[in-house]
């Protein structure tokens, strides 16, 4: 099972919106609405930001939203803030009780 | 509030076995959740290792399956990871995480703080 493909880096100015893509295959992202997104600050554990493609856990800002089209899922951060600067990882259920993570994207707030 | 805490040796010799434990507090390991291990080599991305249910049922990443054993100890409310025949490539921060079965499907909603394991002689 290969890692899902994410851009290595994405940047934006405060207040702008950015979108991070997560490309898989018809065996994982394309087959299941079980894509999740995680935010990870340096030296910290990942934090769940989006689950089941577009749902937000309690306590996560509504500036974070998720979507999916075909084999590609996306995470959009609107109204970018300095605190959003972090690494972001997507994850998809891949069938047969397996999970696969994305390669990770470093978000920089200019 | 459920919390997870990893523990175990921070240094393992090549060809040896890495052994870690994840203690579950604030809730029961026998609840409707799968319990996973995820690792992250220095400067690299996350890799799912495998998971266990309190019944003892397990699922493993095929790339590691031949070397991984995950077990549960309900009496101590904890689960464990053993990775055999380790090499430098197994050097990583190891996280334990919870995957709920009845909500937040397919996601890891609670994570431990992580523990760094270095494979070196």
């Amino acid at each position: 099972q290969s890692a899902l493909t994410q851009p290595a880096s994405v940047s934006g100015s405060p207040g702008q919106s950015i979108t991070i893509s997560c490309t898989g295959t018809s065996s994982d992202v394309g087959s299941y609405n079980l894509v999740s997104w995680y935010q990870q600050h340096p030296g910290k554990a990942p934090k769940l930001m989006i689950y089941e493609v577009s749902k937000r856990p309690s306590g996560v800002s509504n500036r974070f939203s998720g979507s999916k089209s075909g084999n590609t899922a996306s995470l959009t951060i609107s109204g970018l803030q300095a605190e959003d600067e972090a690494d972001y990882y997507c994850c998809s259920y891949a069938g047969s009780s397996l999970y696969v993570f994305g390669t990770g994207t470093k978000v920089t707030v200019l | 509030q459920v919390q997870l805490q990893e523990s175990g040796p921070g240094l393992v010799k090549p060809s040896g076995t890495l052994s870690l434990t994840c203690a579950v507090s604030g809730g029961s390991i026998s609840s409707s959740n799968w319990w996973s291990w995820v690792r992250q080599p220095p400067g690299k991305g996350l890799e799912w290792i495998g998971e266990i249910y309190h019944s003892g049922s397990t699922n493993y990443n095929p790339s590691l399956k031949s070397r991984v054993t995950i077990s549960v100890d309900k009496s101590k409310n904890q689960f464990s990871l053993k990775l055999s025949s380790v090499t430098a490539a197994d050097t990583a921060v190891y996280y334990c995480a919870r995957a709920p079965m009845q909500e937040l499907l397919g996601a890891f909603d609670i994570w431990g703080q992580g523990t760094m394991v270095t494979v070196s002689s």
Side-chain angles (χ1 to χ4, degrees), chain A residues 34-36 38 40 43-48 50-52 57 89 91 93 96-103, chain B residues 36 38 40 44-48 51 59-62 95 99 103-109 111-114:
Chain A
L34 295 177
V35 176
S36 51
Y38 302 85
Q40 186 180 35
K44 299 295 186 181
K47 174 187 176 183
L48 178 64
I50 294 288
Y51 67 99
E52 293 177 40
Y89 293 91
C91 180
Y93 180 69
S96 301
S97 301
L98 304 175
Y99 292 90
V100 59
F101 281 95
T103 51
Chain B
S36 276
V38 177
Q40 184 173 35
K44 296 188 178 182
L46 301 168
E47 180 181 33
W48 180 74
E51 64 181 359
N59 297 299
Y60 299 131
N61 187 325
Y95 294 100
E103 56 182 1
L104 293 92
L105 298 180
F108 305 99
D109 68 333
W111 295 68
Q113 64 184 27

Side-chain angles (χ1 to χ4, degrees), chain B residues 12-16 18 39 41-42 44 67 83 85-92 94 116-121:
Chain B
V12 180
K13 290 185 178 351
S15 78
L18 179 159
R39 70 180 183 178
K44 296 188 178 182
R67 299 193 291 131
L83 181 65
S85 304
V86 296
T87 69
D90 295 310
T91 293
Y94 285 76
M116 181 68 199
V117 179
T118 301
V119 178
S120 175
S121 55

Side-chain angles (χ1 to χ4, degrees), chain B residues 7 21-24 29 71-80:
Chain B
S7 61
T21 295
C22 180
V24 180
I29 201 167
S71 59
V72 64
D73 187 336
K74 290 186 283 186
S75 67
K76 294 183 178 179
N77 217 38
Q78 64 186 33
F79 61 107
S80 299

